[in-house]
Amino acid sequence: ARAVEREHAVQSALGALQRGGAGGDVPVPTMLALCEDPSVVGTPFYLMSFVQGHVFTKPGLDALPSPAHRRAVYDAMADTLGALHRIDPERIGLGSFGSSGGRSGRGSRPRSTGASWSERQLERWARQYSMSLIGNATPEPVVTALIEWLRANRPVAEPGGKLVHGDFRLDNIVFESPVGPGPAGTGKDKGKGKDKPSPGRGVLAVLDWELSTLGSPYGDVAYCCMPYHLPPPSSSSQSAGAPAAYPAFAGSIPPAGVPTEAEFVQRWCVASGLPNPQTRTERVAGDPRGAKKPVWPFYVALSLFRGAAILAGVRARAAMGNASAANAREAGGLVETLAARALVVAGVPVGSIPRPVSSGASGDANGNTNGGGADVGLTFVRGMEPSERAASLLVKLRAFMSDHVYPAEPILEAHAASDRRWEVHPKVEELKALAKAAGLWNLWLPRDSGRLLKIAPRPGEDESEADAWMRGPGLTNLEYAHLAGCMGASVWASEFFNCSAPDTGNMEVLLRYGTKEQQERWLRPLLLGTIRSCFAMTEPAVASSDATNVTSSIVRRGDSYVINGRKWWTSGACDPRCELAIFMGKTTPDGTPGVPKHRQQTMVLVPMRTKGVTVVRPLPVFGYDDAPHGHAETTFEDVVVSVKDAELLGEGRGFEIAQGRLGPGRLHHCMRLIGMGERALTLAARRAEARVAFGQPLSRNASVLQTLGRARVTLDGARLATLDAARRLDAEGNKAAKGAIAACKVAAPAAAIAVIDAAIQIHGALGVCDDTPLARMFAGARTLRLADGPDEVHLETIAKLEVRRSRM
């Protein structure tokens, strides 16, 4: 059943190249004989030399002795694949090995070979999937949706003309040593006598060339990256077949030493000399406007679809009773899992795809036993885990944090300690542009933002891009909670995605209460990230946790307001990009008959460059001035603004706006605090593993283990309180959820402070300096026990609700 002639041809060509001393970086077994006469053993066959070595079947490489050993295996795999894609097929006699499709090399015109490699692959596997549906079986809707997405998003042009393996993965590589090549510089390269790594180092042979052809190398590297996108074996009841067919990492993240997907792909880029597919955009087949889209999701989704189609065939053979593998039926249960994962990568909300209905759970012709399909753990959202849409964004966000945000932290910390810290570092704008391009912009925007937005892209703007930036992905508070937690792991991160306070709260005020003119002037540039803003409410002279205490005045004179007041902790006012303040003051003086105290306040928009607005000084937080953002003391002296331009919702509605603004805003802070605590706990655990005291690692010290265990319990409790508050805010609204919001606003800062403090203790002296993010995180977390209302106010709210509940 195998294309043995093709396998023999490609391995013979590569073997000749290897023996000639040029091309040994793609080693293959020696071809001994090819018999094309089927009468000999009933089928054509070839003989090859036996390769004595070791094959790793688990992508986590858990059995290897160290993270460095795991990294060396993945580096060798990337180098070997890159070396394959450097080979000129014409030079080794494989110029007519297959329809190359796409482009031959960089920058050349597409060859006139009909369908591209991607199109041929897509249609081939679509046919195979269709043929696997036996009897009256109908296609799974999730697979149908995936095929439709792939056809619409297939790149019109792609690099082509390269020799591709077609099934390049870890368990098709034979390594010389049972521990792999070993860390760079820890052994001799065979036959070279050098203590130096080389491409393909430690690889004896690449096997299984049945699917090799000429085509796009992006397909090979994406297929090699499939483990990064598969669920852990324990995450699905159907996963018993996963280790045999498509191995996945044992946990939700790769083990230490295994590179991130982006690191692996970049290593392949260097080895192959080809552009990075993760940053490449192309026109796609289903967009007549010709807009360019990222190509990487297509190649990963195509690889996952191919896996689903293969397993559908396994499932069909199991149903007919002629499958060779003992676990064929279980492996067939992964069809929907792989298809759903592909849609997650594509950004398609899997939960919106209807599922087939079955009258019973006895199993159908396709081997499904769950009354209509295997439960893939993605189609339905249960409890408070990420939805498919949020999960897709979370994958991209985690990769962005790893690839861009964490490496930028030392740069931004150094800038924050310099005498130019009140200037915006170019790295910030660079990462904002990358986040936009990655589709990770304005993630905070509420689900109903499309209905509330009164403005549209301007003439000449790219409508699809501007619309995406201005409307965001339309997440619920619960969905956004998971993303905000990821961003909270770095104090710098939120701004890169246009998700930082106070801008998010100010933008929501403008979205919900602003006029079309106010949205055009202020909301548009805020959504696009070209300006920043501040919120002027807290005053040094009064207890501003009670908003009715504010004394700043807003006096109407004709068509203008005259504003006077002293504010402090006006976060963001120091930023050179800050153009707008949302100012809260009283339009009705105290003691005015017939006016309740909650209807005295009004919110107005004040351009920061208006005469009379003065930033007096930045206020440090435990020694951190948070430049260039800053927390300022500001004065407003006889500031004149137009009523039409400045007024929000109407006079006396300021308290109402504040409550609407602070509900989601408090949640955003709590979400970020959870992420902050997670980062601190990870750092603490790593420190405990690496640090030796009194003859043993700290991780073997019972007291340290107790500390880490308590930190996990504390953090998970706060996380659940925060997710529950987000869920209730979505389902019941701000007013009904106020008790849950108050509870998480107490729990999240306390949990983060406790975990960060524990992490500092485990780090010792290192924890209190700026060589780790812990000191800055502690300052921020402690401040958030006061920001948006101190604990005491929230505890009082919770207690009143409990008393009221006891009367029922």
Side-chain angles (χ1 to χ4, degrees), residues 584-607:
M584 185 169 179
K586 286 182 176 176
T587 45
T588 304
D590 291 338
T592 302
V595 180
K597 65 177 183 178
H598 293 96
R599 295 302 300 270
Q600 297 176 276
Q601 302 80 17
T602 298
M603 283 197 186
V604 293
L605 304 175
V606 181

Side-chain angles (χ1 to χ4, degrees), residues 337-543:
T337 300
L338 266 66
R341 285 283 165 157
L343 287 175
V344 168
V345 172
V348 177
V350 183
S352 67
I353 299 169
R355 291 173 62 88
V357 178
S358 172
S359 59
S362 58
D364 58 22
N366 287 324
N368 292 328
T369 58
N370 242 350
D375 180 359
V376 300
L378 284 169
T379 301
F380 300 114
V381 176
R382 301 180 178 86
M384 294 180 288
E385 68 270 21
S387 67
E388 293 77 24
R389 175 172 49 182
S392 174
L393 288 168
L394 197 55
V395 169
K396 293 168 64 177
L397 185 58
R398 285 171 174 162
F400 193 97
M401 294 286 291
S402 176
D403 296 343
H404 301 294
V405 176
Y406 298 139
E409 285 182 333
I411 299 170
L412 298 177
E413 281 288 356
H415 181 70
S418 73
D419 56 5
R420 301 185 63 181
R421 64 187 182 279
W422 295 106
E423 302 172 12
V424 179
H425 195 282
K427 194 71 176 177
V428 173
E429 297 302 325
E430 175 191 329
L431 294 191
K432 285 166 64 177
L434 288 175
K436 277 185 183 179
L440 296 171
W441 190 255
N442 284 334
L443 301 173
W444 67 274
L445 270 170
R447 198 169 195 172
D448 57 354
S449 59
R451 176 176 58 84
L452 297 169
L453 201 61
K454 303 177 180 71
I455 54 178
R458 290 172 175 167
E461 287 183 335
D462 184 303
E463 289 192 16
S464 60
E465 286 189 3
D467 194 59
W469 295 346
M470 291 167 63
R471 295 178 190 271
L475 303 177
T476 64
N477 284 291
L478 179 55
E479 288 173 319
Y480 179 61
H482 296 281
L483 304 181
C486 181
M487 288 183 271
S490 171
V491 296
W492 309 97
S494 294
E495 182 182 354
F496 306 147
F497 310 103
N498 214 34
C499 292
S500 54
D503 291 328
T504 51
N506 289 347
M507 286 188 276
E508 185 153 12
V509 167
L510 288 163
L511 188 66
R512 297 195 179 280
Y513 311 115
T515 64
K516 181 178 180 180
E517 292 73 22
Q518 289 169 340
Q519 288 191 0
E520 183 66 44
R521 182 177 181 186
W522 300 116
L523 182 57
R524 176 189 294 278
L526 283 168
L527 287 172
L528 296 178
T530 56
I531 67 169
R532 297 208 63 184
S533 62
C534 60
F535 186 64
M537 176 179 168
T538 305
E539 298 180 2
V542 296

Side-chain angles (χ1 to χ4, degrees), residues 87-104:
I87 294 172
D88 179 2
E90 296 279 358
R91 189 163 67 90
I92 61 173
L94 295 177
S96 58
F97 189 60
S99 298
S100 63
R103 295 189 180 117
S104 176

Side-chain angles (χ1 to χ4, degrees), residues 26-39:
V26 191
V28 292
T30 301
M31 298 294 102
L32 304 177
L34 170 66
C35 178
E36 299 179 86
D37 182 356
S39 66

